[in-house]
Amino acid sequence: MDAAFSLELSDEVVQVRDWVHEFADTVIRPAAAEWDEREETPWPIIQEAAKVGLYTPDLFAQMAGEATGIGMPTVFEEMFWGDAGIALSIMATGLAAAALAANGTPQQIGEWLPQMFGSPGDPKLAAFCSSEPGAGSDVGAVRARAKYDEAADEWVLNGTKTWATNGGIANVHVVVASVEPELGTRGQATFIIPPDTKGLYQGQKFKKHGIRASHTAEVVLDDVHIPGELILGGREKFEHRIAKIREGHRTSSQAAMMTFERTRPTVGAMALGIARAAYEYALDYSLQREQFGRKIAEFQAIAFKLADMKSRIDASRMLVWRASWMQRNNKAFESAEGSMAKLHASETAVYVTDEAIQILGGNGYTRDYPVERMHRDAKIFTIFEGTSEIQRLVIARALTGLPIK
């Protein structure tokens, strides 16, 4: 039976939300500026998160299994309210875990999910590798190849992935590659690359505009050999799907798109956390800062900005929660509700952080105040896991049924 949609959080979700909020407030925020400047993976914060039980597959499973579907976006909102770069370092493993959960066999999930997170005393990371230097939003242009060696019962992967969060430093890499290039996206599959596999190495590490505490790099695959069983879902299932395609049957979306569709509401929740943090800071500032003998919040120009910021944040949250509830209760995104949530929340984050800087004036433009960092962090959400333009394309196609280009 489907859970009724409700705006009232369960006691379980409230308890977890408050716990995550406290960690974000007391551990993440005080360290945010330092790790943004260092542009390094904040291993001490990840280790602390693992010690307290925040970085474990158990938490992800608990919130993913929560009846309303609102638990997971609530956790992500609080984490990214703390700081986006550090939060992404902690939570990005969830994207690879989502790919594994969506497409893996029970045996694959049981074996590899724990290895993605490691242990409380020795946390590990995972990376989902889909984008490529020459492909970008065109997932059909994937050039990485996976060839099956029948005699050795193994796959051989070659190619270069880019924009991979945790790429090259992850314990487990989950990689999208083309097996049947002539079939486009339908001929792609997803593979698990175990730790210390020869031929996988980190390429360029990117120096980014924002989310600088999160490691982003190329992942190079140079004759990477993995056991035949490490294709997500199993080789038999993949070959059955390919046979159906060649017979002219329609199939469901390929693995990478399924992963992105499942995570879009969560990405919206990340952007929502940044927007809320910037709004709250700007609100507090406007109630303290005085100009012309009055608090600046008394000026209509500032008050109207705050009204618009808060309205857009709350509207974004409703879209995120609706999509999350639909996903948890197996409701089809017939109008691309997942893309709607991601689109609105990401553009809201850019808008709100921009307005926060405007409210703070010159102070907001300096690194002495956190809204400058929040503004830099927000922009990526209109780009990764599907640009705003791609989200609008997905929504428009869902609404019209036409092959809009």
Side-chain angles (χ1 to χ4, degrees):
M1 184 177 180
D2 294 338
F5 181 74
S6 172
L7 299 180
E8 184 175 358
L9 299 178
S10 67
D11 291 343
E12 175 191 17
V13 172
V14 169
Q15 183 177 12
V16 173
R17 180 200 64 191
D18 293 348
W19 171 48
V20 175
H21 181 85
E22 181 181 4
F23 184 87
D25 188 36
T26 60
V27 179
I28 293 178
R29 279 201 164 183
E34 174 190 352
W35 290 99
D36 177 70
E37 289 288 343
R38 292 175 63 167
E39 298 191 51
E40 297 174 358
T41 300
W43 281 108
I45 312 298
I46 296 172
Q47 290 165 350
E48 186 64 24
K51 287 178 183 178
V52 301
L54 186 58
Y55 184 71
T56 68
D58 293 339
L59 176 63
F60 281 83
Q62 177 188 357
M63 289 295 98
E66 187 267 330
T68 66
I70 296 174
M72 190 70 81
T74 301
V75 167
F76 275 80
E77 179 181 336
E78 294 304 327
M79 286 288 289
F80 281 75
W81 173 89
D83 176 69
I86 293 176
L88 193 59
S89 287
I90 296 172
M91 309 302 273
T93 292
L95 182 59
L100 177 65
N103 306 292
T105 65
Q107 292 78 12
Q108 289 172 337
I109 295 171
E111 179 177 359
W112 294 103
L113 188 61
Q115 294 191 53
M116 289 181 172
F117 289 88
S119 65
D122 185 23
K124 304 293 184 182
L125 301 174
F128 182 69
C129 307
S130 176
S131 297
E132 295 192 1
S137 296
D138 183 7
V139 295
V142 165
R143 297 174 63 88
R145 296 289 183 259
K147 295 183 178 180
Y148 182 64
D149 184 338
E150 189 85 36
D153 185 25
E154 63 182 16
W155 294 93
V156 182
L157 281 75
N158 284 281
T160 299
K161 294 294 179 179
T162 195
W163 311 121
T165 303
N166 298 335
I169 64 171
N171 194 47
V172 178
H173 290 76
V174 177
V175 176
V176 178
S178 181
V179 181
E180 305 286 348
E182 70 277 10
L183 297 179
T185 58
R186 297 183 300 169
Q188 294 173 7
T190 306
F191 300 87
I192 301 167
I193 312 297
D196 303 318
T197 298
K198 291 182 180 179
L200 184 150
Y201 59 91
Q202 179 184 309
Q204 176 186 4
K205 178 186 175 183
F206 296 103
K207 296 179 73 66
K208 305 187 298 295
H209 176 64
I211 55 168
R212 301 197 306 189
S214 173
H215 177 96
T216 309
E218 290 181 332
V219 174
V220 179
L221 307 164
D222 183 10
D223 278 341
V224 171
H225 292 247
I226 59 172
E229 64 187 21
L230 293 186
I231 179 173
L232 278 188
R235 189 164 67 91
E236 183 177 336
K237 182 178 178 181
F238 174 76
E239 291 180 347
H240 177 73
R241 177 164 65 86
I242 294 298
K244 288 291 187 182
I245 292 171
R246 294 193 187 283
E247 292 171 3
H249 295 279
R250 299 185 65 179
T251 63
S252 59
S253 301
Q254 45 79 260
M257 287 299 95
M258 289 177 65
T259 299
F260 289 138
E261 192 64 21
R262 288 170 64 91
T263 58
R264 277 172 182 156
T266 304
V267 175
M270 298 176 187
L272 185 60
I274 300 172
R276 195 183 105 217
Y279 160 75
E280 289 176 359
Y281 196 94
L283 175 62
D284 289 344
Y285 184 91
S286 70
L287 293 172
Q288 297 173 21
R289 175 74 166 171
E290 292 189 0
Q291 290 285 279
F292 307 105
R294 302 166 65 186
K295 297 183 187 303
I296 64 172
E298 294 183 46
F299 293 103
Q300 190 178 90
I302 301 299
F304 279 15
K305 287 183 184 296
L306 294 168
D308 287 342
M309 292 159 75
K310 176 62 171 171
S311 296
R312 288 187 60 164
I313 289 169
D314 283 6
S316 294
R317 186 179 294 107
M318 292 304 96
L319 287 171
V320 168
W321 283 14
R322 179 185 67 169
S324 300
W325 176 85
M326 291 177 67
Q327 180 176 289
R328 177 65 182 86
N329 289 279
N330 299 313
K331 304 291 185 183
F333 287 166
E334 294 182 357
S335 297
E337 287 85 354
S339 291
M340 286 185 189
K342 196 267 186 184
L343 172 65
H344 198 276
S346 63
E347 295 199 341
T348 291
V350 172
Y351 166 80
V352 169
T353 55
D354 189 67
E355 291 287 64
I357 288 179
Q358 199 69 20
I359 290 172
L360 269 70
N363 285 336
Y365 198 67
T366 70
R367 293 191 181 182
D368 293 332
Y369 291 79
V371 293
E372 178 272 341
R373 184 180 68 252
M374 295 170 185
H375 186 259
R376 288 188 286 107
D377 290 343
K379 183 55 188 173
I380 191 60
F381 290 89
T382 64
I383 299 172
F384 75 176
E385 293 203 41
T387 63
S388 290
E389 291 75 18
I390 289 295
Q391 305 307 326
R392 287 186 168 89
L393 187 65
V394 171
I395 295 166
R397 285 175 175 173
L399 297 178
T400 65
L402 299 174
I404 298 171
K405 301 295 184 181

